[in-house]
């Protein structure tokens, strides 16, 4: 399957191995790594090397260039550092290419590209006790010695390929959405895929990626077979061009305020105005925070609360199902497209052209709730029917929330006394603040879901906070003349205990869900309490941020030992 990982966007160029001793190595040049780099530049760190498997910066947005790629989180919050870069996104929801170019602009502004090592994978990082530095080895034979090691490896970096019998027998071209092969399809982002006019395409997967591909595929291919295992809940997207007066109306600090407004709504807090005003703030926030009191302000009994929550959820799902009836002309097709589970069982999607594509005569929906039987040289087989195609697109997603850091990092990280991160985290995450770990001196991990920090629907918000914390801590350590810091075992144990104490097993709600990566593929009880967040559920973002800011401001480095 190695071919599925090949970079179709940038040619691989041989280069000599390097030896170097930068101040900081950042593994990952996506949003988190770039923000960490930008904040480190701001506090005066000069020698930074980003290492990435990709041929350039952008992370998720480097790899995901499938036709129709876009972000369904509002662009004014999702694209980071808009104020610093004096940039206003052109649309309410940005295309993948606009996001990628913005991330490239951040990398250029903060000079993060010239020393970066692209098309390079870290194979091993070892703490060198005598030197008080990390030694980082790569698959190009490089050897770097750095004072600080920062893991910004991403949460959508491992492709998920299904294990369908016969995949290798397929005689046509097959690729994953995160490695779109424009050399095969023709065209490019926003341009017609000129080679597909005489080709039948199988699209496997109907999550956020798969559904975004469908309208362009329907436009350009001779025929598209959409293989749906579970229908997504797809709400209104309502994209529009940015009002030309929007930028002029904003006050300094507007982006943070906007992110906070969105986050407050997602956490069920009262706000004066809903600045985002979309499906996330209407539906997601409502289902996430059902009323706990009746209209007279009396606390609801648990059974009433549960029933109220279910009714609210049902009403929102009915709204989604009605929308399908309105947009899809064949009632039999509409019926198959209707999501039948609770709203938060899967990540909700937002799109305005997906359903309409099923009215095209060249689009066939293949209902396969139990998956695809097998793939032959001619294409997928479902229920004994062979679908003959020239190309298979796997929109089958990524390993995400449940994948432990050491697997996402993809290399051995050896801390004090030869203990690896995989060994240390074998029973679950072990950290202080979800960003440092005892026995791994001078190492930071950018915050991520299931890693003892918090989860934000707008991932950029937690990446910004993580980057500010990491750079702020490094600046303070440098100022104090610290050579090596480590986390006290006691402070780490206390942090872990806080995470475990606030964990509420979601099985009661999530086991009624269709399997997905959000519920351990149907086994929500298998989530380890340690692999969760600061505060209940998605975590207490504002409490977490306060705590980090106070910790930094105190200058006391509580919970760290300093040399
Ligand atoms: P995904 O949500 O995990 O969806 C994967 C799809 O593949 C599902 O429809 C799944 O069906 C299907 N599938 C997997 N194995 C299959 C098999 N053996 N046979 C048939 N179908 C199979 O992946 P994604 O769409 O790439 O999205 C991943 C994440 O990326 C999202 O949750 C989101 O966080 C992010 N994303 C965000 C945006 C955005 O606009 N912000 C856009 C794209 C992606 P089941 O549902 O039955 O498992």
């Amino acid at each position: 399957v190695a071919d599925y990982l090949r970079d179709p966007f940038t040619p691989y160029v041989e280069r000599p191995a390097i030896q170097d001793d930068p101040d900081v190595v950042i593994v990952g040049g996506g949003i988190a790594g770039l923000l960490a780099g930008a904040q480190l530049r701001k506090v005066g760190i000069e020698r930074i090397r980003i290492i990435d498997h990709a041929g350039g910066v952008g992370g998720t947005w480097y790899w995901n260039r499938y036709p129709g790629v876009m972000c369904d989180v509002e662009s004014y919050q999702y694209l980071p550092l808009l104020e610093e870069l004096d940039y206003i996104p052109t649309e309410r929801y940005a295309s993948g290419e606009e996001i990628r170019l913005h991330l490239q602009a951040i990398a250029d502004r903060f000079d993060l590209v010239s020393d970066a090592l692209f098309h390079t994978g870290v194979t091993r990082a070892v703490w060198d006790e005598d030197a008080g530095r990390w030694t980082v080895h790569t698959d190009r034979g490089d050897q770097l010695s750095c004072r600080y090691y920062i893991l910004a490896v991403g949460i959508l970096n491992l492709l998920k390929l299904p294990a369908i019998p016969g995949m290798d027998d397929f005689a046509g071209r097959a690729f994953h959405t995160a490695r779109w092969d424009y050399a095969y399809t023709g065209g490019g982002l926003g341009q017609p895929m000129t080679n597909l006019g005489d080709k039948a395409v199988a699209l496997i997967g109907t999550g956020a990626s798969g559904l975004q591909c469908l309208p362009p595929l329907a436009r350009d291919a001779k025929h598209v077979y959409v293989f749906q295992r579970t229908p997504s809940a797809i709400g209104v997207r309502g994209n529009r061009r940015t009002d030309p007066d929007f930028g002029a109306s904003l006050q300094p600090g507007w982006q943070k305020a906007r992110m906070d407004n969105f986050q407050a709504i997602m956490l069920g807090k009262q706000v004066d105005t809903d600045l985002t005003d979309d499906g996330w703030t209407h539906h997601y926030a409502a289902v996430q925070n059902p009323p706990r009191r009746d209209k007279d302000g009396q606390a609801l009994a648990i059974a009433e609360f549960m029933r109220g929550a279910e009714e609210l959820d049902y009403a929102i799902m009915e709204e989604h199902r009605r929308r399908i009836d309105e947009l899809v002309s064949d009632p039999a097709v509409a019926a198959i497209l209707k999501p039948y589970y609770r709203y938060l069982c899967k990540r909700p999607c937002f799109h305005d052209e997906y359903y309409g594509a099923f009215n095209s005569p060249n689009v066939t929906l293949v209902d396969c709730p139990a998956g695809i039987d097998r793939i032959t040289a001619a294409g997928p087989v479902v229920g004994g029917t062979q679908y003959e195609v020239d190309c298979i697109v796997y929109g089958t997603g990524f390993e995400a929330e449940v994948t432990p850091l050491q697997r996402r990092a993809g290399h051995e990280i050896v801390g004090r006394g030869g203990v690896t991160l995989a060994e240390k985290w074998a029973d679950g995450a072990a950290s202080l603040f979800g960003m440092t770990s005892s026995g791994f001196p001078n190492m930071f991990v950018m915050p991520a879901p299931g890693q003892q920090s918090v989860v934000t629907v707008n991932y950029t918000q937690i990446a910004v906070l993580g980057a500010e914390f990491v750079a702020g801590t490094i600046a303070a350590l440098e100022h104090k003349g610290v050579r090596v810091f480590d986390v006290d075992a006691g402070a780490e144990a206390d942090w872990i205990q806080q995470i475990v104490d606030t964990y509420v097993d979601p099985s009661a709600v999530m086991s009624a869900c269709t399997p997905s990566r959000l519920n351990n593929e149907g086994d929500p009880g298998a989530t380890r309490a340690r692999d969760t967040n600061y505060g209940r559920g998605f975590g207490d973002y504002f409490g977490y941020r306060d705590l980090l800011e106070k910790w930094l401001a105190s200058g006391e480095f509580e919970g760290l030992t300093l040399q």
Side-chain angles (χ1 to χ4, degrees):
V1 295
D3 193 45
Y4 285 97
L5 288 178
R6 205 180 46 79
D7 181 353
F9 310 116
T10 312
Y12 183 94
V13 178
E14 292 293 344
R15 62 162 175 81
I18 62 156
Q19 303 239 340
D20 193 17
D21 56 354
D23 299 318
V24 178
V25 166
I26 301 174
V27 188
I31 290 183
L34 292 175
L35 287 177
Q39 296 298 344
L40 285 166
R41 285 279 189 247
K42 286 190 199 172
V43 300
I45 302 294
E46 283 173 10
R47 303 187 54 222
I48 300 173
R49 279 199 187 267
I50 289 179
I51 304 179
D52 202 303
H53 285 290
V57 295
T60 290
W61 303 102
Y62 176 87
W63 292 114
N64 286 274
R65 304 195 202 185
Y66 54 81
V69 60
M70 55 178 116
C71 185
D72 55 22
V73 174
E74 195 197 56
S75 61
Y76 316 124
Q77 304 172 51
Y78 186 80
L79 273 68
L81 304 184
L82 288 178
E83 292 186 63
E84 277 94 331
L85 271 82
D86 195 19
Y87 182 68
I88 300 291
T90 59
E91 293 178 281
R92 184 184 189 196
Y93 301 101
S95 70
E97 188 60 0
E98 183 168 1
I99 301 170
R100 191 179 70 78
L101 293 175
H102 180 69
L103 296 175
Q104 176 72 55
I106 291 174
D108 292 341
R109 164 69 64 90
F110 293 98
D111 186 21
L112 297 169
V113 174
S114 52
D115 285 339
L117 301 175
F118 295 125
H119 281 161
T120 302
V122 177
T123 49
R124 194 172 149 84
V126 186
W127 173 248
D128 179 342
E129 193 69 64
D130 296 333
R133 300 174 77 91
W134 283 91
T135 309
V136 181
H137 304 268
T138 78
D139 56 10
R140 300 265 203 159
D142 309 311
Q143 190 171 317
L144 307 175
S145 166
C146 59
R147 293 204 42 218
Y148 297 103
Y149 192 52
I150 300 179
L151 294 173
V153 296
I155 53 176
L156 298 171
N157 62 326
L158 299 176
L159 309 193
K160 217 160 138 184
L161 276 180
I164 304 172
M167 278 171 70
D168 285 348
D169 299 337
F170 181 57
R173 178 78 183 106
F175 51 85
H176 189 278
T177 45
R179 300 286 187 279
W180 196 272
D181 186 355
Y182 284 104
Y184 174 82
T185 63
L189 276 173
Q191 294 154 21
M193 292 172 281
T194 42
N195 298 345
L196 291 185
D198 59 352
K199 305 254 183 336
V201 178
L203 174 61
I204 300 180
T206 52
S209 307
L211 68 91
Q212 291 181 353
C213 298
L214 178 61
L217 280 175
R219 181 195 61 203
D220 297 339
K222 184 175 76 173
H223 203 96
V224 189
Y225 296 96
V226 181
F227 292 84
Q228 175 192 275
R229 193 163 66 176
T230 319
S232 286
I234 307 167
V236 172
R237 183 155 176 264
N239 201 12
R240 54 176 178 258
R241 303 287 301 170
T242 301
D243 186 322
D245 299 331
F246 177 66
S249 72
L250 300 166
Q251 302 299 319
W254 69 267
Q255 194 182 27
K256 182 171 188 239
R258 199 171 182 99
M259 287 184 188
D260 282 1
N261 175 270
F262 180 71
Q263 179 64 3
I265 296 168
M266 300 311 275
L267 292 175
K269 296 184 188 304
Q270 289 299 321
V271 295
D272 293 337
T273 318
D274 174 357
L275 295 172
T276 312
D277 192 24
D278 68 2
W280 291 107
T281 59
H282 296 176
H283 294 155
Y284 197 91
V287 175
Q288 190 70 320
N289 308 287
R292 295 186 174 272
R293 297 184 176 275
D294 65 17
K295 54 183 182 323
D296 303 320
Q298 298 298 312
L300 294 171
I302 187 79
E304 285 173 290
F305 166 73
M306 296 289 275
R307 199 185 61 198
E310 189 163 359
E311 283 173 1
L312 176 76
D313 195 306
Y314 183 76
I316 287 172
M317 290 305 271
E318 280 289 88
E319 207 178 310
H320 281 76
R321 290 186 277 264
R322 273 197 302 276
R323 181 168 186 246
I324 299 169
D325 284 329
E326 284 160 16
L327 297 175
V328 178
S329 45
D330 181 339
V333 174
I336 298 167
L337 289 169
K338 287 180 185 173
Y340 47 81
Y341 44 81
R342 287 182 71 156
Y343 188 63
L344 298 184
C345 286
K346 285 186 172 291
R347 181 193 186 276
C349 299
F350 303 91
H351 210 283
D352 293 340
E353 289 85 37
Y354 176 71
Y355 288 128
F358 289 96
N359 299 330
S360 302
N362 68 331
V363 175
T364 303
L365 178 63
V366 182
D367 184 23
C368 55
I372 290 159
D373 306 347
R374 61 182 188 283
I375 291 180
T376 66
V381 177
V382 171
T385 303
Q386 168 83 72
Y387 294 88
E388 287 188 17
V389 297
D390 303 287
C391 172
I392 299 178
V393 175
Y394 289 105
T396 45
F398 307 88
E399 292 188 28
E401 282 81 353
V402 295
T403 301
L405 170 68
Q406 57 271 25
R407 179 168 161 80
R408 282 184 284 117
H411 63 275
E412 199 169 51
I413 300 163
V414 187
R416 280 197 154 137
V419 177
T420 66
L421 191 78
E423 288 163 346
K424 168 97 192 286
W425 286 34
D427 295 326
S431 80
L432 178 64
F433 306 145
M435 286 190 270
T436 54
S437 191
S438 175
F440 296 83
N442 290 16
M443 183 177 98
F444 291 93
V445 184
M446 295 303 286
Q451 203 178 279
Q452 304 191 341
S453 57
V454 298
V455 177
T456 46
V457 164
N458 174 18
Y459 171 73
T460 298
Q461 190 177 27
I462 186 67
V464 168
L465 178 59
E468 287 173 353
F469 177 77
V470 169
T473 305
I474 288 180
L477 290 165
E478 294 292 293
H479 183 70
K480 203 176 166 75
V482 175
R483 194 174 68 98
V484 174
F485 81 86
D486 200 353
V487 177
D488 289 335
E492 181 171 283
D494 288 348
W495 186 257
I496 295 173
Q497 198 57 49
Q498 282 193 65
I499 305 294
V500 170
D501 287 347
T502 51
Y503 177 62
V504 180
D505 183 346
S507 296
V509 175
M510 292 299 276
S511 54
C513 283
T514 178
S516 83
R517 63 181 174 78
L518 299 188
N519 66 358
N520 264 333
E521 302 300 338
D523 189 7
T527 301
R528 294 176 297 197
R530 276 168 61 160
D531 293 335
T532 59
N533 307 308
Y534 173 80
R536 286 181 166 215
F538 278 4
D540 171 11
Y541 173 80
F542 293 106
Y544 178 66
R545 185 169 77 188
D546 261 14
L547 184 143
L548 296 180
E549 286 175 354
K550 285 191 181 122
W551 184 90
L552 255 183
S554 79
E556 288 172 11
F557 302 100
E558 197 185 335
L560 301 188
T561 42
L562 310 179
Q563 277 173 248

